[in-house]
Amino acid sequence: MPSVHDVVVVPLSIDHWDALSALFETSAGVNGCWCVWPRREPMTHRPDPVGNKAEMKTLLIAGEVPGLVALSGERAIGWCAFGPRSRYPQYENEDEIEPAWAIPCLYIERSADRALVGRVLIEAAAELATSSGAVALDGPPSWWLSGDADAVASVTALFLANGVGRVGTGARMPKLRRLLRG
């Protein structure tokens, strides 16, 4: 997995549970969602810190890899939900290239170097998606709401700075895609 300076990106496993929990507790929005929102049918997700946290832990115990975590030592400083786009119903009605993978959510701790952590997470996702046969990597679904308009602009800029292009407009988030191979 990629590493830059003291940041290492690894697929999330149950071994990183405590680090992920500590990271998610730094944001009320992330702590309420636990990145299960993109796995729900549109308009069905509700913030539920206890239930969503339990669901994420169940995924990990079952051996699923729901995303990538950026670590600085033992401390998680960044996260991206990541996997085959078909795993995420929030993309259901959007244009799709098959096989496509997606990063439906990206979260970086406020004190971390956002540009650095975002770059290593997006690059790790692109490498893993490519090695799994994906031809495209999509950014968050158009209904993703990471906060206010400034937060959406910041996340969009982070994707655009890392080889992901704008391919359309969306309800809250522009449609973002990185082609991985011809």
Side-chain angles (χ1 to χ4, degrees):
M1 285 284 93
S3 107
V4 177
H5 305 291
D6 68 339
V7 178
V8 177
V9 175
V10 297
L12 182 67
S13 71
I14 196 67
D15 296 338
H16 305 107
W17 180 251
D18 290 339
L20 184 73
S21 295
L23 174 66
F24 280 11
E25 288 171 7
T26 66
S27 167
V30 177
N31 194 35
C33 178
W34 277 84
C35 273
V36 298
W37 170 79
R39 294 169 171 274
R40 303 265 198 278
E41 293 296 324
M43 309 304 285
T44 64
H45 177 71
R46 298 289 179 264
D48 176 6
V50 174
N52 293 339
K53 182 177 184 177
E55 184 173 339
M56 177 62 79
K57 191 169 189 178
T58 298
L59 292 172
L60 292 173
I61 290 168
E64 186 170 329
V65 177
L68 304 172
V69 64
L71 301 167
S72 178
E74 295 296 316
R75 187 172 65 95
I77 59 172
W79 154 260
C80 69
F82 168 74
R85 192 173 132 162
S86 59
R87 178 187 292 170
Y88 306 109
Q90 292 294 331
Y91 291 95
E92 183 177 28
N93 295 322
E94 298 182 21
D95 296 336
E96 187 163 350
I97 294 175
E98 288 290 341
W101 281 44
I103 299 174
C105 185
L106 181 69
Y107 175 68
I108 301 167
E109 180 184 69
R110 291 184 195 278
S111 66
D113 180 337
R114 292 182 62 73
L116 170 69
V117 175
R119 183 176 80 238
V120 296
L121 282 167
I122 292 168
E123 286 307 313
E127 286 178 22
L128 284 171
T130 300
S131 69
S132 297
V135 298
L137 177 64
D138 288 346
S142 65
W143 286 102
W144 187 65
L145 184 58
S146 61
D148 60 17
D150 288 340
V152 171
S154 174
V155 169
T156 300
L158 189 58
F159 275 93
L160 294 175
N162 288 287
V164 181
R166 186 184 306 252
V167 295
T169 58
R172 295 181 181 147
M173 185 83 187
K175 292 180 183 178
L176 302 168
R177 175 171 293 146
R178 178 173 173 174
L179 295 177
L180 301 172
R181 52 189 173 154

